[in-house]
């Protein structure tokens, strides 16, 4: 099962190929995607992305996880979150969201078992 391409990205809107939903923030993994609802884990811009935000994607067996920090990189990624991924044997890439989507799409096109969590505003 391959990771779905992110078809489009603009401020506050993301589309995943093969999915009719327009996301604000989203999670993607080989074979699927869904809304990333920060309220589920109490996430805020600071301290930022928590391991709990990533568990669902990690459980899908990804080898690489790309985190999009937002258009202005307002979303923080604490060292403990990066350590959580590395302890699980997952490569992690943290970038501004436009760059993160480009990297994710390149990895997916190359057949890498890649997942991502992307913030599409600030």
């Amino acid at each position: 099962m391959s990771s779905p391409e992110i078809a489009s990205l603009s401020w506050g809107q993301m589309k995943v190929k093969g999915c009719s939903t327009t996301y604000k923030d989203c999670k993607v993994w080989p074979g699927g995607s869904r809304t990333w609802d920060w309220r589920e884990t109490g996430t805020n811009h600071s301290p930022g992305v928590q391991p709990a935000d990533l568990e669902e994607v990690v459980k899908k067996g990804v080898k690489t996880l790309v985190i999009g920090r937002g258009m202005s990189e307002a979303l923080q990624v604490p060292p403990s979150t990066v350590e959580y991924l590395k302890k699980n044997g997952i490569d992690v890439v943290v970038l501004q969201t436009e760059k993160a989507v480009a990297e994710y799409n390149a990895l997916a096109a190359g057949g890498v078992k890649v997942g991502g969590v992307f913030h599409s505003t600030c």
Side-chain angles (χ1 to χ4, degrees):
M1 204 171 311
S2 60
S3 299
E5 175 188 349
I6 302 212
S8 67
L9 167 67
S10 60
W11 183 275
Q13 294 190 329
M14 296 183 73
K15 298 281 285 175
V16 175
K17 193 172 187 178
C19 179
S20 60
T21 304
T22 299
Y23 300 114
K24 177 180 172 241
D25 298 325
C26 75
K27 297 180 178 188
V28 289
W29 58 82
S33 64
R34 79 169 183 93
T35 293
W36 178 17
D37 183 349
W38 292 15
R39 292 172 295 194
E40 292 173 358
T41 56
T43 293
N44 287 298
H45 287 102
S46 182
V49 183
Q50 304 168 62
D53 293 309
L54 308 176
E55 284 174 359
E56 177 181 18
V57 179
V58 167
K59 287 178 182 171
K60 304 291 184 182
V62 298
K63 300 297 176 210
T64 302
L65 195 138
V66 180
I67 300 173
R69 293 188 50 212
M71 300 302 218
S72 304
E73 298 184 89
L75 179 61
Q76 300 300 303
V77 181
S80 57
T81 298
V82 173
E83 288 166 22
Y84 162 77
L85 291 167
K86 290 184 177 177
K87 281 181 188 169
N88 281 282
I90 297 168
D91 293 327
V92 59
V93 179
V94 178
L95 296 166
Q96 183 268 356
T97 296
E98 290 163 309
K99 292 175 182 167
V101 165
E103 179 69 12
Y104 167 88
N105 280 342
L107 290 166
V112 174
K113 206 168 182 185
V114 62
V117 295
F118 302 100
H119 179 43
S120 73
T121 58
C122 45

